[in-house]
Amino acid sequence: MWFKNREKAPIAAEASANMKDSSNVLEIDDLKVHFFTDDGVVKAVDGISLDIPKNTTVGIVGESGCGKSVTSMSIMRLLQEPPASIVGGEIRLNLGDDALDLAKMNKDSMRRIRGKEVAMIFQEPMTSLNPVFTIGEQLMEGILVHRPDIGNAELKGKVIELLKMVGISRSEEIVKSYPHELSGGMKQRVVIAMALSCEPRLIIADEPTTALDVTIQAQVLELMRELKDRIHTSIMLITHDLGVVAEMAEMVVVMYAGRIVEQGTVYEIFENPLHPYTRGLMKARPTKDNKSKRLYSIEGNVPSPVGLPDYCYFHNRCEESEEDCKNEYPTLVSVTPTHKVSCYVANKENKNA
Ligand SMILES: Nc1ncnc2c1ncn2[C@@H]1O[C@H](COP(=O)(O)OP(=O)(O)O)[C@@H](O)[C@H]1O
Ligand SMILES: [Mg+2]
């Protein structure tokens, strides 16, 4: 009513937020994302809290089904709501003078955030690319959405510059190509160029290299690492591969069945993993010595997020569980100011150490 003469709807007042720490780009606070299905309530994400500091890569790890993608899709507000619903918590995005709660943004306001402030890179590059337009057309389109007044010459120059940034030198040729004419690695480079086009504060990369073969994977990761330092962006890097996290991330978050079971700096997680699940993931990683041997894997599966027990969700797969573990779900306890773990056994060990 009040704003009927305004060209654009104001960003919903209820979506404004106060950051806990202004050096964070994003703060997720007690986020709960549930799916309301015929089989019951799927608690895909159930009370996670994490910060993404400026110019930092935060790795999110966990097996398939742990809630990593639901977390990233919630930040982008790309989940279909319903059946999905953000039933609690905040997703605070720091815009410098302003902070917004993305969990409460309306669809219109969210369109202005997506791509411009937060960009996403998916596992499958064709999720982001349209088969019927050339690479040049798609890159221009991405820039125009957020900079409609840009001149033609500047626009073309920007496209070439972006392609150079992602290591594509034959850019004149590539702009005229269609996605199917490019290899998987090239397509993912183009997607990264698209993500960079508006210099977002945060890039969410959900398994960005999982679909690529190992050599290309290493090249794309190297590129992302280089670009992060060049454009001072933060990266939320989602992967089931601990090796990728060890190489790329400064901070690590380990998720299990919709919750965070351990988080810390990359050194804390790799040199002093405390949760039996984190240790299991590490043992399951192929190393030079065990490459030829049969790999260890954590027995059993991630439990279904419908009807989870009221004690530790990892209990039935845990090699270290004790009597206490069937008590109520363990809270996340701080071991250092940055290292937290949610496990009775780990906390006991730590106290005795
Ligand atoms: N549309 C949906 N309806 C019901 N359940 C869903 C839907 N999407 C995801 N889930 C469930 O949410 C949980 C987390 O999924 P997801 O975030 O994709 O896991 P990850 O990315 O860690 O592999 C899984 O148990 C999955 O089955
Ligand atoms: Mg996923």
Side-chain angles (χ1 to χ4, degrees), residues 52-91:
I52 302 190
K54 283 182 185 158
N55 197 24
T56 299
T57 299
V58 178
I60 315 274
V61 285
E63 291 160 288
S64 174
C66 283
K68 305 181 300 295
S69 294
V70 170
T71 302
S72 65
M73 297 288 274
S74 306
I75 301 170
M76 297 300 277
R77 293 295 298 279
L78 287 171
L79 288 170
Q80 205 187 334
E81 306 172 32
S85 174
I86 298 180
V87 295
E90 291 189 353
I91 304 170

Side-chain angles (χ1 to χ4, degrees), residues 9-266:
I11 287 178
E14 79 270 22
S16 72
N18 288 318
M19 301 299 286
K20 186 178 72 194
D21 180 345
S22 62
S23 61
N24 290 329
V25 188
L26 194 86
E27 293 172 354
I28 298 181
D29 206 353
D30 204 20
L31 178 69
K32 294 185 178 163
V33 187
H34 296 174
F35 291 89
F36 293 85
T37 72
D38 293 342
D39 300 328
V41 180
V42 177
K43 296 182 176 176
V45 171
D46 206 26
I48 66 164
S49 301
L50 63 100
D51 296 336
I52 302 190
K54 283 182 185 158
N55 197 24
T56 299
T57 299
V58 178
I60 315 274
V61 285
E63 291 160 288
S64 174
C66 283
K68 305 181 300 295
S69 294
V70 170
T71 302
S72 65
M73 297 288 274
S74 306
I75 301 170
M76 297 300 277
R77 293 295 298 279
L78 287 171
L79 288 170
Q80 205 187 334
E81 306 172 32
S85 174
I86 298 180
V87 295
E90 291 189 353
I91 304 170
R92 298 186 291 268
L93 177 70
N94 191 353
L95 295 180
D97 328 327
D98 221 353
L100 297 173
D101 180 5
L102 304 186
K104 296 185 188 70
M105 291 280 272
N106 64 36
K107 291 261 173 223
D108 266 350
S109 313
M110 206 50 220
R111 219 164 282 139
R112 276 180 278 144
I113 299 292
R114 237 181 265 137
K116 183 159 167 49
E117 311 290 353
V118 187
M120 182 135 178
I121 301 167
F122 297 90
Q123 174 176 342
E124 174 41 62
M126 287 313 286
T127 312
S128 313
L129 296 173
N130 188 325
V132 303
F133 292 107
T134 65
I135 300 303
E137 285 165 335
Q138 299 188 55
L139 280 165
M140 288 197 272
E141 167 80 26
I143 299 164
L144 280 168
V145 173
H146 300 289
R147 290 185 62 191
D149 303 328
I150 191 172
N152 216 353
E154 198 192 341
L155 180 60
K156 285 198 174 133
K158 178 101 189 158
V159 167
I160 303 295
E161 183 197 317
L162 282 168
L163 290 172
K164 280 222 178 82
M165 258 175 109
V166 297
I168 297 178
S169 49
R170 294 170 8 252
S171 49
E172 310 288 343
E173 196 181 310
I174 298 291
V175 287
K176 291 186 212 132
S177 315
Y178 288 87
H180 75 265
E181 298 175 285
L182 307 183
S183 67
M186 280 295 252
K187 277 190 282 223
Q188 202 60 309
R189 278 175 196 267
V190 171
V191 170
I192 294 172
M194 281 171 78
L196 293 175
S197 66
C198 293
E199 295 172 17
R201 291 158 202 278
L202 173 65
I203 295 177
I204 301 175
D206 191 348
E207 308 269 6
T209 57
T210 305
L212 306 174
D213 70 50
V214 180
T215 333
I216 311 294
Q217 173 171 358
Q219 288 170 8
V220 171
L221 290 175
E222 175 61 35
L223 170 68
M224 286 179 60
R225 198 164 30 205
E226 213 183 275
L227 291 171
K228 182 199 129 226
D229 291 332
R230 228 160 96 193
I231 67 163
H232 302 291
T233 186
S234 297
I235 301 177
M236 178 169 169
L237 179 65
I238 295 179
T239 173
H240 63 274
D241 188 340
L242 275 177
V244 169
V245 168
E247 271 178 47
M248 299 284 294
E250 278 100 31
M251 306 294 296
V252 183
V253 172
V254 184
M255 285 187 74
Y256 190 71
R259 302 228 188 165
I260 292 173
V261 293
E262 183 164 6
Q263 65 195 116
T265 65
V266 71

